Amino acid sequence: MQKTKVEFEVLASADSPAQPITAFIDDWDAPLESGEHAYVQGRLALTVQPAHSVISYGLAWRYDYLMEFSEETAEVYWQYENKQNPTQSKSYPLFLKAKHNERFGANIGFTQSIAADWQVTAKANLWQGLHALDGKVTGNLSNRILADSEFNNIRDTIDKADAYLDYYYDKPALEEENLGWNPAQPSGYGYSIDLNLTGKLSDKTWLNIRGYDVLGRMRWKDMPSTRYALDYDVDGRPLYSLEGQLETKDITQTLPWRVEGSLMHQLDDQWQLGLQGQVNEVQDLYQLSAGYLLNNYRYPFMLTALVEPQTQALGLALDSRYGGIKVLTDDLDSQKAKRSEISLYGRYAW
């Protein structure tokens, strides 16, 4: 007999969490030391599917912060953050690109059987934008050697610098309001599609693939935008010139997509082996798992150990009839962890 189903899901996933430039990110605390990218992705969902219906309804919230940067940019920031006096003259090409979107919305889904033991679900999301930022910094910086007695700040070691910043945002991040620039909050609306394919490859092996924010777009009306150009020379007079431009314009922002998959095989009544994977714009990761069914009479549950070879992260997952939790990290100290993920989900039918 079919039942009305209610499901909720909470996910937070991060790789190389960092604080490269305060103007772009003011939420993370761990210092940036190396790497080429960092991201944080999160989602919260509540879904209801009535009995005898192929239609589901839901509410959702999603958060994406994806960033790319050069090793040299990470090195300059690390020296600045840790007040390090450079030991050699060097030229640093600067590059940092950040993309952020936070949104809340509603969705409607449709489930269709496509073969025996196989079904696909398509879900259309309509979003209202909460926050957004998209921009980049490029340029070049060269330093000079100072004796330790002369060093007070890494800024004292700069010989020449030219940098260009171009970004748009829902609220100023570089104190533009102090320049008399107080734009109104922009309005943003968008859409995306979620897809889910699930089915059996054999009696003991099954596959599940989920895609989030496929073909997603957000359209922002009157989005504030700032451009800065900096030219600095320690021997120049004046030392530096700074030019800026402030404006508003309509922006279309592409939403970061994410794909998750799992391939599970039941060895016997208690043991289960699995391969899980996740892919987004900047990285693809996979996990190997081994699960054991604990047969409690009233509430049996599956306890699963996970390992992610690329990041050396380890994890545990607990799954039961009514929900579960998954925790994965490469360091129990959250300030040192470069890879972490936690998900919580629940389900109920009546």
Side-chain angles (χ1 to χ4, degrees), residues 167-348:
Y167 82 116
Y168 59 84
Y169 46 88
D170 66 294
K171 60 180 180 180
L174 295 176
E175 300 184 353
E176 282 87 350
E177 63 274 15
N178 294 333
L179 301 175
W181 178 243
N182 296 286
Q185 180 89 4
S187 59
Y189 298 93
Y191 60 88
S192 69
I193 298 173
D194 296 342
L195 299 171
N196 181 26
L197 173 67
T198 183
K200 288 186 176 182
L201 299 175
S202 69
D203 290 341
K204 295 185 177 182
T205 306
W206 59 96
L207 175 70
N208 186 287
I209 300 176
R210 291 175 177 263
Y212 297 93
D213 291 327
V214 178
L215 304 176
R217 298 290 188 274
M218 286 291 299
R219 306 190 188 279
W220 296 88
K221 180 70 174 178
D222 295 328
M223 175 73 80
S225 173
T226 297
R227 295 186 181 93
Y228 284 123
L230 170 68
D231 187 3
Y232 174 89
D233 190 330
V234 71
D235 296 321
R237 293 295 180 268
L239 286 175
Y240 68 90
S241 64
L242 178 64
E243 298 178 355
Q245 180 180 355
L246 310 172
E247 63 180 6
T248 60
K249 56 184 176 181
D250 295 344
I251 296 293
T252 298
Q253 190 178 33
T254 302
L255 295 178
W257 52 268
R258 181 183 178 98
V259 175
E260 300 174 358
S262 62
L263 178 65
M264 309 301 295
H265 179 73
Q266 195 74 37
L267 289 177
D268 53 34
D269 291 340
Q270 291 183 298
W271 283 99
Q272 184 183 96
L273 298 180
L275 172 65
Q276 294 85 22
Q278 52 189 258
V279 181
N280 61 17
E281 290 186 2
V282 298
Q283 193 171 52
D284 56 279
L285 299 169
Y286 70 91
Q287 300 143 20
L288 304 175
S289 67
Y292 184 79
L293 180 63
L294 297 173
N295 276 314
N296 180 288
Y297 176 72
R298 294 187 62 185
Y299 300 107
F301 60 89
M302 179 72 70
L303 181 64
T304 302
L306 304 107
V307 58
E308 194 169 77
Q310 298 125 298
T311 64
Q312 288 79 56
L314 301 176
L316 284 175
L318 179 66
D319 183 56
S320 71
R321 176 182 177 184
Y322 297 108
I325 185 172
K326 172 185 173 183
V327 178
L328 182 79
T329 184
D330 64 348
D331 198 309
L332 293 178
D333 186 341
S334 61
Q335 296 297 317
K336 297 180 180 179
K338 295 182 179 179
R339 166 73 172 121
S340 60
E341 178 177 331
I342 181 169
S343 59
L344 176 67
Y345 53 93
R347 61 179 78 94
Y348 185 71

Side-chain angles (χ1 to χ4, degrees), residues 3-8 47 321-323 346-350:
K3 299 180 178 181
T4 297
K5 295 188 296 182
V6 176
E7 299 178 328
F8 78 87
T47 303
R321 176 182 177 184
Y322 297 108
R347 61 179 78 94
Y348 185 71
W350 71 88

